[in-house]
Amino acid sequence: MSSTNKLLLTLILLLTAIASTSSFSVSKASKASKVAAWSRISASPYPWESTVDESEETLLKIRFAVQPGIAEADALTRVQQYTQAFPFAAILPVQPLQYLPTHDGGVDVQFLRKKTQQKGSVDGGIRFSVVLTSEGNVIELVAKRNSKGQTFPKIFAEKLVIQSFYDGISGKQDDRTGQAPTRSATVQSVYHKWLV
């Protein structure tokens, strides 16, 4: 028997012994919570995606009207691609953050901090979602605050991200992601917390 096989056999026996002890048993309540957490994770094709409570504050809401002659799916794809390609890290070069795509074509922007024993590595963030409304020919982009893990409000960082994103997607300002989707969809209405 090779040394690798001996090591694997030893590891299996050790894990079996640990699992059989009463101190390693898992209560029914924790089993149920693990099952619920797994079903939430497996329901989304992106398991890293954070869920934002509907009670969280809306920081930005834009309704786009699809241009005549453009397919709804085409316009939706352009808005989603713009949102996912936006350079959030360039807006806040000092704030560590990560942004990951979501199942609805949006982005989950997470502010990061150094992980400690008391606090996790995520320090809140912003959740962007992009959907085609049931009205037809209307695309809705919503950005909500994600305050999970925040110890201090990130209002200044949120303001910079929202204002820069709005200026870019509406075509008011040249940005680094390429062309804003204004040829496919025009801004119909806008709400954002810091609209001046």
Side-chain angles (χ1 to χ4, degrees), residues 133-150:
T133 64
S134 59
E135 299 167 22
N137 285 343
V138 177
I139 298 168
E140 191 172 78
L141 184 144
V142 177
K144 286 193 168 271
R145 172 179 290 134
N146 182 1
S147 59
K148 291 179 185 168
Q150 275 188 357

Side-chain angles (χ1 to χ4, degrees), residues 95-98 110-114 121-124 154:
Q95 170 69 51
L97 56 86
Q98 71 180 14
Q110 296 176 342
F111 301 129
L112 302 175
R113 66 170 165 241
K114 185 176 179 182
S121 61
V122 177
D123 193 15
K154 296 277 188 187

Side-chain angles (χ1 to χ4, degrees), residues 43-106:
S44 169
Y46 303 110
W48 58 81
E49 199 173 301
S50 68
T51 55
V52 176
D53 193 2
E54 286 301 314
S55 64
E56 292 283 4
E57 184 176 10
T58 299
L59 303 175
L60 173 70
K61 186 173 188 174
I62 304 174
R63 292 173 60 90
F64 295 93
V66 177
Q67 293 281 19
I70 304 289
E72 290 176 350
D74 244 6
L76 178 65
T77 302
R78 296 230 178 164
V79 174
Q80 289 173 337
Q81 286 174 343
Y82 183 90
T83 303
Q84 291 180 344
F86 191 78
F88 294 101
I91 296 164
L92 300 169
V94 177
Q95 170 69 51
L97 56 86
Q98 71 180 14
Y99 48 104
L100 300 166
T102 59
H103 73 280
D104 59 6

